[in-house]
């Protein structure tokens, strides 16, 4: 069973930055999609960003220009660099992965999930 382990969450002031990491337990996703989703209290989980093995990326409008997703296939790791953080970015951030490319905005299309990492933004 593939495991995804997120790290890097924490408390940050509004306007600050954090980098989340997601390490996969095996080199399964060198040809697939890795994504980040988030869930704030009382809200549904929402898409944040995805990256294909080719490096192609896509972002939710709410984070475009502030967040950057990248991946290191040699390390089986995907990153989410978050800058200019706002109070509304506070959530549990989840890493997800799948061995395909289509329908990547849909969380149901992802096969594997991490346990989540908390991001808290203070104003």
């Amino acid at each position: 069973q593939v495991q995804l382990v997120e790290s890097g969450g924490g408390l940050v002031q509004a306007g600050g930055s954090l980098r989340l990491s997601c390490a996969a337990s095996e080199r399964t996703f060198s040809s697939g999609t890795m994504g980040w989703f988030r869930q704030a209290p009382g809200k549904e989980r929402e898409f944040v960003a995805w990256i294909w093995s080719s490096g192609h990326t896509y972002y939710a409008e709410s984070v475009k220009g502030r967040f950057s997703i990248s991946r290191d296939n040699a390390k089986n790791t995907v990153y989410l660099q978050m800058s200019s953080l706002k109070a509304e970015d506070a959530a549990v951030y989840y890493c997800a992965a799948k061995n395909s490319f289509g329908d990547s905005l849909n969380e149901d299309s992802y096969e594997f999930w991490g346990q989540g990492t908390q991001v808290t933004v203070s104003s």
Side-chain angles (χ1 to χ4, degrees):
Q1 181 73 10
V2 174
Q3 292 185 328
L4 302 176
V5 179
E6 301 101 333
S7 60
L11 173 65
V12 62
Q13 286 189 331
S17 299
L18 275 178
R19 189 177 81 156
L20 306 183
S21 299
C22 172
S25 61
E26 61 185 74
R27 200 169 181 175
T28 305
F29 309 108
S30 60
S31 61
T33 303
M34 296 191 78
W36 288 96
F37 291 76
R38 67 186 182 186
Q39 187 169 22
K43 295 187 176 181
E44 294 186 352
R45 189 155 57 185
E46 64 176 5
F47 164 77
V48 176
W50 57 248
I51 184 168
W52 286 352
S53 51
S54 63
H56 188 63
T57 60
Y58 187 84
Y59 298 90
E61 283 298 321
S62 60
V63 306
K64 196 174 293 184
R66 300 187 298 120
F67 290 13
S68 177
I69 188 171
S70 61
R71 65 191 289 170
D72 185 334
N73 289 333
K75 294 182 178 180
N76 304 331
T77 300
V78 65
Y79 305 97
L80 186 68
Q81 178 67 48
M82 306 185 294
S83 303
S84 302
L85 282 161
K86 306 175 181 179
E88 52 264 42
D89 294 319
V92 177
Y93 282 72
Y94 296 91
C95 172
K98 60 178 180 175
N99 286 306
S100 60
F101 299 99
D103 199 23
S104 295
L105 299 181
N106 182 3
E107 63 178 88
D108 293 333
S109 72
Y110 288 82
E111 302 167 75
F112 303 102
W113 290 84
Q115 81 289 349
T117 186
Q118 178 73 50
V119 172
T120 303
V121 182
S122 64
S123 56

